[in-house]
DNA sequence: CGCCCTGTTGAGTTTTATCAATATTGGTGG
DNA sequence: CCACCAATATTGATAAAACTCAACAGGGCG
């Protein structure tokens, strides 16, 4: 393996790790994915749009490195961040089933992502049913996270809300090998946090100070340190159920259970 | 057609109408669906759980008549309604891909629903790719609605928020033939509205009064009347894009476009 | 008839937003 | 290397939005 190849491998590592979390893949499936991802890899600077609302849906984009967010705006300019996208996250799995994009996706940091034409993508899924499963499970996971955000915005107060978001991000980063020992890179500004939690930036600032004063977090120089994750989780009323990280393992059990005959295509376009 | 059959047909009508909205189905597909739905139909009283958090995922449930909601609770008892389910909505499409249910579903009114074993369901999807597409598009629609709720809770104030929810419900009901001339059945209590919008019941009460005072709605005796839908939409900053009701038609165009060879299975378990 | 659920009202409090000013930081060009 | 700029973070004061508590009214139903 030469230098270029190993650099490429390390670029893809977090994304592949995410996929393996959802479905345990065979070496040849990993290889097919690696091939596709590196073939269609692209780069983007920070604070730029990958996809804008209303775009037609002819590509499937997968984050390889860096952070991005989904967001939606109201006519009067108010903006809500709907989700954060980390390496291995699909921007738009299956969305080509719908007519148009109903929100936008922007980069937070400089970003690498794969932009795969829908036809190529569909062929890959057709050839590798277990990769298709990755895409499906990822969609369901997205849905589950979105529900948790609904709960977060509807029921938790500012303090719990921000704590919850920090827990989610840390745990998702940890799962793909981008956080360790309570420490992770954290490129969000307080104003990003505000738009994600539906709070004002001033209030986010004060709430972060409260979290710091409680000894729960350190957050400086784009690095988040969580002193005691369990303590943070309990103040946030956080449980990681909704991230469904038993899927990769439980699936083996599950799919051998019903013993369903033959491939059950879930999305067959016609 | 005897009396029992015609009663049954009218029970299924709204759900079938919803499916047709998502994908234009052929008569034999409609028949296969009708057969399955009526074979596994069940009934449930009001204020009862269809599915509880943590349940294993061996069935697919589809609402046939009545209203239900998804909800999630925090340990301390706070509760958030995540979505309202109307006739034709899937409680759990594809969720059997995940290990366990991460929220609960309860009935609001007395309810009819089909409870189809996962194996039977998968067989149906396998035999009828376009029905599989209904399930997929429904999942994406669910996701889109969940995102709009995130925006609603994060950015809109109480007045806009409730107005937005009323718009969504009216339009969804209208699309399946359960609302006409600005009028529809409305079984939600103010406390349901509060749990859906993340507000207190008292504040919901006062906000509804404000909406009434502004001449936008009438809401009595479990009936909602919207005097001027356009006016309500504009105070709610509501646009119906996110409901994607161009899907059924645009799909014809879309799927004939890429001319993808063969069925691209999206979920093939193994 | 009486009870429980739902809706309504008033008063007082808490949470969060707004506005405006000031500090800090990181990056950039001279 | 320093000076300057824009973006970000912080602070204080005040206002608005929403919540809590508590009481009461109405209506349907056993």
């Amino acid at each position: 393996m030469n230098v270029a190849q190993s650099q490429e491998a390390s670029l893809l590592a977090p994304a592949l790790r995410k996929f393996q979390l959802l479905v345990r893949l065979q070496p040849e499936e990993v290889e097919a994915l690696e091939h596709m991802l590196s073939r269609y890899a692209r780069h983007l600077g920070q604070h730029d749009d990958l996809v804008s609302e209303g775009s037609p849906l002819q590509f499937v984009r997968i984050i390889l490195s860096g952070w991005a967010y989904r967001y939606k705006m109201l006519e009067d300019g108010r903006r809500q961040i709907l989700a954060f996208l980390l390496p291995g996250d699909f921007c738009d799995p299956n969305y080509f089933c719908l007519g148009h994009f109903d929100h936008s996706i922007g980069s937070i940091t400089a970003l690498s992502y794969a932009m795969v034409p829908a036809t190529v993508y569909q062929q890959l899924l057709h050839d590798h049913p277990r990769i298709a499963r990755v895409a499906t499970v990822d969609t369901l996971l997205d849905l589950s996270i979105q529900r948790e955000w609904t709960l977060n915005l509807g029921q938790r107060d500012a303090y719990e809300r921000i704590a919850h978001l920090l827990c989610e991000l840390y745990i998702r980063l940890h799962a793909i090998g981008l956080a360790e020992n309570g420490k992770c890179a954290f490129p969000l500004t307080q104003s990003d946090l505000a738009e994600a939690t539906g709070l004002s930036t001033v209030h986010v600032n004060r709430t972060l100070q409260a979290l710091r004063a409680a000894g729960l977090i350190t957050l400086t120089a784009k690095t988040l340190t969580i002193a005691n994750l369990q303590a943070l989780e309990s103040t946030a009323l956080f449980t990681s159920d909704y991230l469904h990280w038993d899927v990769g393992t439980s699936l083996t059990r599950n799919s051998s259970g019903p013993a369903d005959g033959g491939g059950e295509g879930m999305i067959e376009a016609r």
Side-chain angles (χ1 to χ4, degrees), chain A:
Chain A
M1 191 185 261
N2 64 33
V3 174
Q5 276 176 327
S6 84
Q7 280 183 346
E8 188 175 273
S10 70
L11 176 68
L12 298 183
L16 290 171
R17 203 154 155 181
K18 159 84 185 291
F19 300 153
Q20 293 278 4
L21 218 60
L22 303 184
V23 178
R24 197 146 299 284
L25 296 170
Q26 301 301 315
E28 71 268 19
E29 293 161 340
V30 172
E31 205 175 319
L33 266 168
E34 281 180 333
H35 181 253
M36 185 189 74
L37 294 179
S38 50
R39 173 156 173 214
Y40 293 104
R42 298 188 167 211
H43 300 277
L44 191 68
Q46 59 179 359
H47 303 142
D48 207 345
D49 272 7
L50 279 91
V51 192
S52 301
E53 192 171 334
S55 300
L57 296 152
Q58 293 156 356
F59 294 92
V60 173
R61 297 166 187 84
I62 298 164
I63 308 291
L64 299 178
S65 73
W67 292 35
Y69 42 43
R70 298 181 193 282
Y71 66 90
K72 208 164 180 174
M73 300 197 62
L74 293 177
E75 296 145 33
D76 63 6
R78 279 176 280 177
R79 194 167 89 123
Q80 175 69 36
I81 292 177
L82 303 168
F84 290 106
L85 298 174
L86 305 177
D89 289 344
F90 287 72
C91 295
D92 39 21
N94 312 355
Y95 289 5
F96 44 81
C97 291
L98 299 178
H100 62 275
F101 229 82
D102 58 22
H103 61 280
S104 307
I105 298 182
S107 67
I108 296 169
T109 65
L111 204 68
S112 307
Y113 66 103
M115 181 160 155
V116 185
T119 48
V120 174
Y121 176 74
Q122 288 175 297
Q123 187 61 47
L124 182 84
L125 298 197
H126 180 251
D127 295 344
H128 299 279
R130 296 161 62 92
I131 297 180
R133 185 161 200 118
V134 172
T136 302
V137 173
D138 189 73
T139 305
L140 296 178
L141 184 55
D142 232 45
L143 190 44
S144 180
I145 292 176
Q146 204 67 54
R147 285 200 200 98
E148 186 69 28
W149 278 47
T150 305
L151 173 61
N152 206 21
L153 290 170
Q155 299 300 324
R156 280 185 263 253
D157 66 24
Y159 190 75
E160 299 164 333
R161 202 131 106 205
I162 290 181
H164 189 277
L165 179 55
L166 298 182
C167 286
E168 177 184 311
L169 288 170
Y170 177 79
I171 289 181
R172 286 173 58 195
L173 287 168
H174 182 75
I176 56 174
L178 297 179
E180 210 59 61
N181 301 322
K183 255 203 170 106
C184 61
F186 197 84
L188 303 183
T189 64
Q190 293 185 357
S191 137
D192 291 331
L193 285 172
E195 290 182 324
T197 52
L199 301 165
S200 68
T201 55
V202 173
H203 200 55
V204 166
N205 181 288
R206 292 185 168 129
T207 307
L208 285 175
Q209 287 178 46
L211 286 165
R212 280 192 272 249
L216 291 168
I217 63 164
T218 314
L219 180 50
T220 40
K222 303 288 170 202
T223 302
L224 169 67
T225 310
I226 298 175
N228 179 345
L229 183 57
Q230 244 183 324
L232 189 63
E233 287 181 356
S234 97
T235 72
L237 293 99
F238 179 95
T239 44
S240 58
D241 306 16
Y242 75 98
L243 296 172
H244 287 277
W245 282 340
D246 48 341
V247 186
T249 48
S250 79
L251 263 192
T252 330
R253 173 166 45 72
N254 230 12
S255 63
S256 68
D260 27 44
E264 328 60 15
M266 206 72 199
I267 297 184
E268 314 271 339
R270 183 101 357 244

